[in-house]
Amino acid sequence: MLDLRQKLLAAPENESYRLMKQRLAGIEEAMETIRLTGDLVIAAFFSSDKDKQRKEALDTAGRKLTLYFGSDKDKIPPKPELILELQALARELRIGTHPIEPFHWQIESPEVFERENGGFDAIVGNPPFAGKNTLINSNREGFLDWLQLLHTDSHGNADLVAHFFRRVFTNLRDTGTFGLIATNTIAQGDTRGTGLRWICNNGGDVFYAHRRRMWPGQAAVIVSVVNAMKKGCVRIRELDGKPVQKITAYLFSSGGNDNPSTLLANANRSFNGCYVLGMGFTFDDTDRAGVASSLEAMNTLISNDPRNQTRIFPFVSGEDVNDNPTHQAHRYVIDFGEMNLKEASDWPDLISIVESRVKPERDKIKDKRGKDLWWQYMRPRPELRAAIRGRSQVLINALYGPYLSLTFVSANVVFSNKVNIMTMERFSSFAVMQCRVHEIWARTFSATLKDDLAYAPSDCFETFPFPEQVLENSSINSPLERNARLRSLETIGQEYYDFRAALMVKQNEGLTKTYNRFHDRDHDETEADPEIVAGIRRLRELHAAMDRAVLEAYGWHDLAKRATCEFLLDYEEEEDDDEAEARPGRRQKKKPWRYRWPDDFRDEVLARLLELNKERAEQERLSGEAAAAMEKGAKPKVTRGRKAKDDLPTLPGID
């Protein structure tokens, strides 16, 4: 087929148009059967959502193709029904709600791919933007599975643009280049991991990038422009108009391409709360389902038998963390820990409640442990209990929330699985966790739920390179030296914490509403109460002072001098205000303003953190700490926030 196409291209200029047209028609007719073969491969995949059925469909199509093409057409004409059946199978792709029109690069451009060192010399383009939900909802069922099959080591949360980058890179010849426009998510999170990280680790070399450029069209979006070469020798690289030695998958001029390493120094210091699974364990006056017992019933149980109080605890949820000014639990929970049934039966009143209100629902689930041990929590978290035993307080934050907001609470409570717990008691640790340095890290490596941060300890805490002086296993040998370094962090951390706590109580607002005010660009002009305005301004000042103290703790004195905040959009809307107002009945979405460091400054902080993570991980490896820890059975815990519910059955009414 390639020979026929090349002869057509090499035909003399005086060749008859009619003859050329006939030859082209013949080539196209022959190409149709080749295209059909490619279509059938794709049709087999989309014929089912199960791999076994997909393979069976592919095998069936293969057998029919063999029968059709394998017949001796001079002696035994092929059965026409075979080709009709195959065409009908392929036609299924092109019908339905989300039809698919296959395009086979190697078939359509054989001159490009069949030559020595096959592939395109250069590809330029502006791929469409679609996040995970749009990608799924706007395409045929199974489309995301197809992309992940096509592009190994890709993540289901990646934006569609990452897959365009992968396909373009695959279609280049060695030393070929591409130039693509993308939203700035191309260097962030799972989109970076699926696209640029894979490209940079598989022979790609980014030689030009402009990270933030305002789109010249009507859509108010910020785009990134990225140029890269495949398996070539790049001599000059330029990042945001400046010459650099390297450009990483983060579009930084230093550091690596991969996700940060888990640090042994942070192991067994952060946990997710208990997964209870059963509203019947709780005493809750706000339970509309009527499964929980009342607080009055709880008080009666304790009054009748004071021993019951030893197995009833405040139950702290994400709602209590974010919305309650004092973070007090609004409900209580029965907790038998890991007791066996005989031991738990020593509290007959409580085991009777759990048996009548929890066991019937647990009997319906498939999880054997949850069904058999119905008086225990689905995930009782013994490792968490061991880590906080004997502590007076711990540092916690809600698993989901619009802001990274941390607070101290008593360790003698039961924490919901919607809460993260850090075994930290010092205000110096609070200062590091609450400051913008850690927030940048968390927002870079966390998943998101809508616009909320989904803080996963395994991704955000266990990888975070803390300042040396706040580490429990610090290499600073002198206690005096370490205490001196801690003093400024401890002072500013407590001052910020105490002021924020008093402000929340005074305004009767929780963390979320307080930080809504903190980040509201128009707050100081629209708020009528001058005391509230003064309080929010002071909180901003204290936060900036805490940020500078943390930067100084890292030894980044140059950054501490330059650290200034302003009101900036976290991201640009795709739709401008005029267009939004033109839609009748549509509520205009509030702009995502945030009082924060400028983008370039944030990038510089993140680049240094990534480099520090790399150095710390290498130090741990070379020191043999990791091997020694493995021998003792101590290893970094895995609590992936993105997959927290994957293996858990669900019941209504409890988090």
Side-chain angles (χ1 to χ4, degrees), residues 84-105:
L84 292 175
E85 289 176 14
L86 293 170
Q87 289 172 344
L89 286 173
R91 200 157 43 242
E92 290 293 319
L93 284 171
R94 296 172 170 83
I95 61 177
T97 306
H98 297 297
I100 293 175
E101 186 65 43
F103 184 87
H104 310 288
W105 289 93

Side-chain angles (χ1 to χ4, degrees), residues 352-366:
S352 176
I353 291 174
V354 175
E355 185 171 15
S356 63
R357 293 174 181 259
V358 176
K359 188 176 185 298
E361 293 300 322
R362 287 285 190 90
D363 286 340
K364 299 175 184 177
I365 68 175
K366 295 181 180 179

